[in-house]
Amino acid sequence: MESPGAHRVIVLPTRCVPPGVLRVAPRLDVPSFVSESAGPPGTVRFTGLPDRMKDVEIWLPHNEHTELVALRSDAPVGPVPDRGRRVWLHHGSSISQGSNATSPTATWPVVAASLGDVDLVNLGFGGSALLDPFTARTMRDTRADLISVKIGINLVNADLMRLRAFTPAVHGFLDTIREGHPTTPLLVVSAIYCPIHEDTPGPGAFDLAALGTGQVRFRATGDPAERASGKLTLRVIRDELARITAQRAADDPNLHHLDGLDLYGEADLAELPLPDQLHPDTATHRRIAERFAKRVFSAAGPFAGHSS
């Protein structure tokens, strides 16, 4: 609950509720070999909070499937009034969801939103940023002042489509968003640097040799020669996204493009390697966030002072 001068309290649940079990197949494109077992319900208590009016933010785990069964309080609660901050709606892969970050407040979209002083609605879907029409419709129907879509890595490591299908799928995705947000600043972001998929198509797979040592690492199983037949790699997708957005921007001045290599490129790999060959760690999430905020929320950026 908030009143003038209210204080903000952020609480992060710890892993005191027994987790479920996730079993996955060696290949990422074999969903029938993925199974989940739910853990039992439990109670998380937050004690010792200040005895005054306050905003309370509860950050659920970003790397777990979490169902909120009930919320109880020993004092009156109410909705937070409109603070006047803009709403940023973002869609991306597990990197946007926050894989390998140490906490939900350390994921790059959350850090970037804090730096940009905006409220974040994060549609980061682990393994599922696949240009699905239902995702575009959800974004179309969600209130937002700023919108971004980060496209690339899941399409490659799922080996989902060829270049011939990719181009109209991107156009259709953006067309659907524009049905609900015709003039909202819309930023198309390509993938950050990922050496296993820069020039090698998917599908992606777990590195079984690394699993034998207790490590989780990924590898690409495609053949680089298959690019000639339309298989997607990150380099192919970046080039096509740049072409698509430049073409559309001629009639859509609020459409913008950001090369993911400007957020994390080949030169960053030596200093901040991807621990599993695919996902950034916490320090890299922060670097991505800081660069995103500087390029996008700054006075010269596409999200500077815009509101729908």
Side-chain angles (χ1 to χ4, degrees), residues 93-115:
S93 68
S94 58
I95 298 171
S96 293
Q97 182 178 327
S99 287
N100 280 4
T102 51
S103 79
T105 54
T107 66
W108 81 259
V110 171
V111 176
S114 177
L115 293 172

Side-chain angles (χ1 to χ4, degrees), residues 151-173:
I151 300 170
I153 188 64
N154 289 160
L155 295 165
V156 176
N157 58 34
D159 191 26
L160 185 70
M161 60 180 66
R162 303 295 177 260
L163 182 60
R164 169 62 182 83
F166 172 75
T167 299
V170 172
H171 279 294
F173 199 90

Side-chain angles (χ1 to χ4, degrees), residues 21-41:
V21 176
L22 175 67
R23 296 181 178 87
V24 296
R27 275 178 45 164
L28 303 183
D29 62 330
V30 190
S32 60
F33 286 88
V34 178
S35 63
E36 297 182 28
S37 300

